[in-house]
Structures are given as C-alpha cells and as structure tokens.
C-alpha cells in the first residue's frame, strides 16, 4: 500500500477540522469519571440509625472527593484509585485495612489488587498481615516486581523491601469485628450469618487522558481459614481494567465471583457484544445470583458512564463525573 503524501494528509486533516472532528475531540478533552464502593450486602433502612447512615455517607463522600480531586486536576486514574482506597482502608467502618474482619485464628489477612487499563498491567497481594495500605502494596507489585500476584510471607518480605508501611496487629482490631468472630464460633454460624454486608472497598476511574483503572481491597470473610482468598485480588474476578472495554471492582461472595469471572466477563460482554455497562453488569450479576451468590459491582466505561449493579438490598457506593454528577448512596432503591 502506498503512503499518502504528507501534503494530502494535511488536506484531509483540514477537511476533518471543517467537518467538526477536532470539535468532538475537544468536547471529550478533560472528561473524567469515577465510581467507588464500600461493600454490598443486607443493608436495610430499618437496621440503620440516622447517625450511622450519616456517618457512612460522610465517609463515602470524603473518599469520593479524594478521587475527584485527583481526576479534576488532570491526575491519572491509578492515582485516583489509590487516593480513594487508601482512605477507605483507614476507615474502620469498612472491611479493608483498619477494621478488617478477623480470621478464625484472630488475625487479619488482607487482599488487594490494582489494574491499569492502558496495558493491562496488574498487581495483587493476598493473605498479608500488618500492611496498612494493601492497595499500595498491590501497586508496588505491579510497578516494581516482575509478577502479578504475591501472597503471604513472601508478599510481606517484598513489602518490607519496598518500604511499605506496617502497623501493629491491634491497629486493625475493632470491637464489632471481634464480636462477629466470637458470635460465629459460639453459635456455630457461617461467615454469611455474621457478615450481613461485604465491606470490601474499591474504585474504578476514567481519567482525562482516556485511561481506565480499577482497584479493590478487602479483609475477606469473618472466620476464614486455611489461607482462604476471595475474588478481590483475582484479576478478572474481582478486579479488571482495559481501556478497550471497561473497569470493574466487585464486592460479594468471592467464591461465586471467581467461578463466574465477574469483572472480565462484564468487560467482554461490552467489548464483544456491544452491550452498555449497565446491561452487561446486570446480566453478569444475575448469573452470580442464579448460582447462589450475592454481591455487586461498580463499572466505568470508556465513554465515562459510571454504573452500579447488585443483587443485594444495598451497597455502599458513590460516583462522580466531570459533567456534574456527584452522589453517594447506600440502599438498593436509591
């Protein structure tokens, strides 16, 4: 094939300008979008005091604002994800970092993952103890190691080498989480009986450069044993981002989300079937429900659409866009 002479190319470009192509590009310039979650589950108004409701909304709004500030300032989607998730990891109301659930042995085993939609680079950690911000360690795995996932003592060794901040075990403890473990053991309950909500946290974002990213962080399920790992750190299950399709962060019953490959499946439906983000998300969450699992997802599309989908009565969530959308919600009917 012959190359088009530069002079001809210039004429073509000029004609395109007259036709309004640059105007369309200018319209997209500066567009950003973000969605966050703090876990899905049984969240009924009757079980929530006004004070507790207000406290959760304030925490969600503060985390959302942190991500918005990064994106509105021209920062990367990855930086926005980290800004949101680190804030939620420090908030004991959520099951990630401080406030993470107890394992059967009374420890906190933390999981996290982050993914860059530009080249599908990803980093994940599983079963780590003492790391204040698991999402930051996951990003270190992505940028400063040749691997995608590190687990347990090896991940902790890597964290020390990278200068990641550690906190003593008691820093992660909360009375509510300890009571849940004690009740589980005393009454021989399942994790689902004591975890009425999945407090996993996550964020998905589109930045002004057109790049997508996703991140998820969790303490897992109360009373988990034998090094159990859920979907949050599994790329394609609880976390996924690809500029050509979408960015997803999930929260819910991890075993089912892994089996369905929730995050990747949503993006594939959008990419291969041409479904919009809401249609694809609803279909995949329905598939999870049909298998017996529950939970929800947040999704951002390359177009900037930010959507939620859940088969639970609620999900702590929020979203904002450069076009003025700015909201947080808890219950399914909001």
């Amino acid at each position: 094939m012959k190359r088009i002479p530069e002079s001809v190319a210039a004429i073509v470009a000029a004609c395109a300008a007259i036709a309004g192509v640059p105007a369309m590009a200018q319209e997209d310039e500066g567009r950003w979008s973000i969605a966050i979650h703090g876990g899905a589950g049984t969240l009924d108004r009757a079980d929530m005091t006004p004070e507790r409701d207000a406290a959760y909304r304030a925490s969600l709004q503060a985390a959302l604002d942190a991500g918005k500030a990064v994106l509105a300032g021209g920062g990367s989607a990855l930086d926005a994800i980290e800004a949101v998730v680190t804030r939620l990891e420090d908030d004991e109301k959520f099951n990630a970092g401080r406030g993470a659930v107890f394992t059967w042995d009374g420890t906190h085993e933390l999981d996290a993952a982050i993914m860059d939609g530009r080249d599908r680079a990803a980093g994940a950690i599983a079963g780590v103890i003492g790391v204040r911000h698991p999402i930051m360690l996951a990003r270190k795995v992505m940028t400063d190691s040749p691997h995608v996932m590190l687990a347990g003592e090896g991940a902790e060794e890597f964290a020390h080498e990278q200068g990641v901040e550690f906190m003593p075990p008691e820093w992660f403890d909360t009375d509510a989480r300890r009571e849940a473990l004690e009740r589980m053991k005393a009454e021989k309950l399942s994790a689902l009986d004591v975890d009425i909500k999945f407090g996993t946290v996550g964020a998905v974002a589109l930045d002004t450069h057109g790049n997508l990213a996703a991140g998820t962080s969790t303490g897992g399920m109360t009373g988990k044993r034998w090094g159990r790992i859920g979907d949050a750190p599994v790329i394609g299950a609880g976390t996924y981002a690809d500029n050509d399709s979408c960015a997803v962060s999930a929260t819910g019953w991890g075993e089912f989300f892994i089996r369905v490959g929730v995050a990747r499946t949503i993006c594939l439906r959008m990419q291969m079937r041409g479904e919009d983000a809401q249609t694809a998300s609803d279909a995949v969450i329905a598939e999870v429900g049909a298998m017996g699992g529950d939970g929800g997802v947040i999704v951002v599309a390359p177009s900037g659409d930010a959507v939620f989908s859940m088969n639970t009565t609620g999900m702590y969530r929020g979203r904002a866009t450069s076009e003025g959308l700015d909201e947080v919600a808890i219950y399914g009917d909001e």
Side-chain angles (χ1 to χ4, degrees):
M1 180 182 293
K2 295 181 179 180
R3 291 186 60 188
I4 299 175
E6 292 184 3
S7 58
V8 175
I11 294 172
V12 172
C15 291
I18 295 173
V21 173
M24 292 172 62
Q26 181 68 33
E27 183 180 332
D28 288 341
E29 187 176 346
R31 176 179 293 176
W32 55 263
S33 181
I34 187 169
I36 72 172
H37 72 75
T42 305
L43 301 170
D44 296 323
R45 286 184 174 85
D47 299 324
M48 187 82 74
T49 66
E51 294 77 15
R52 189 171 175 79
D53 181 292
Y56 270 105
R57 291 179 190 273
S59 290
L60 290 168
Q61 189 65 60
L64 185 62
D65 289 344
K68 285 164 45 185
V70 173
L71 296 172
S76 72
L78 284 169
D79 286 344
I81 297 302
E82 189 172 301
V84 169
V85 176
T86 53
R87 191 175 190 103
L88 293 173
E89 287 173 335
D90 275 348
D91 192 325
E92 65 179 39
K93 288 188 288 297
F94 302 98
N95 176 21
R98 190 180 192 188
V101 299
F102 284 90
T103 67
W104 185 264
D105 295 324
T107 62
H108 306 280
E109 294 179 358
L110 311 173
D111 308 331
I114 194 167
M115 190 165 185
D116 186 344
R118 292 176 297 180
D119 56 2
R120 288 182 285 184
I125 54 96
V128 302
I129 295 174
V131 174
R132 178 176 180 177
H133 291 301
I135 195 69
M136 295 178 70
L137 178 55
R139 190 170 181 181
K140 285 285 188 181
V141 173
M142 179 178 71
T143 59
D144 295 300
S145 87
H147 308 299
V148 170
M149 180 182 284
L150 299 179
E153 293 181 359
E156 292 161 20
E157 180 183 352
F158 176 75
H160 284 295
E161 291 177 1
Q162 295 296 317
V164 172
E165 185 177 8
F166 279 73
M167 298 298 285
E170 58 270 18
W171 188 84
F172 299 90
D173 297 353
T174 60
D175 292 340
R177 300 299 190 190
R178 189 179 299 281
E179 185 276 333
L181 177 64
E182 292 172 352
R183 185 158 52 90
M184 177 185 186
K185 289 183 174 182
E187 301 177 23
K188 298 182 180 180
L189 302 173
S190 73
L192 297 177
D193 291 322
V194 295
D195 290 337
I196 60 170
K197 66 180 182 62
F198 302 99
T200 296
V201 306
V204 290
L206 169 73
D207 63 30
T208 57
H209 311 290
N211 296 316
L212 293 167
T216 314
S217 182
T218 187
M221 301 182 81
T222 296
K224 63 183 182 180
R225 306 172 75 178
W226 312 301
R228 181 264 185 190
I229 297 168
D231 65 302
V234 179
I235 300 303
T239 307
Y240 195 78
D242 181 357
N243 280 5
D244 290 335
S245 53
C246 70
V248 181
S249 176
T251 169
W253 195 342
E255 281 71 13
F256 290 93
F257 280 66
I258 292 171
R259 289 163 61 191
V260 174
V262 165
R264 176 64 167 148
T265 300
I266 290 171
C267 291
L268 279 175
R269 292 182 72 109
M270 293 176 64
Q271 188 174 13
M272 306 302 291
R273 298 189 183 186
E275 295 177 350
D276 61 67
Q278 193 68 64
T279 299
S281 300
D282 289 346
V284 176
I285 290 299
E287 185 178 351
V288 170
M291 293 175 64
D294 57 2
V297 292
I298 53 174
V299 182
V300 166
S303 64
D305 289 341
V307 307
F308 311 109
S309 184
M310 72 195 89
N311 63 3
T312 53
T313 59
M315 178 166 68
Y316 296 114
R317 61 199 189 274
R319 59 184 172 181
T321 70
S322 54
E323 298 176 342
L325 177 65
D326 189 338
E327 63 181 18
V328 296
I330 298 176
Y331 313 107
D333 59 2
E334 291 185 82

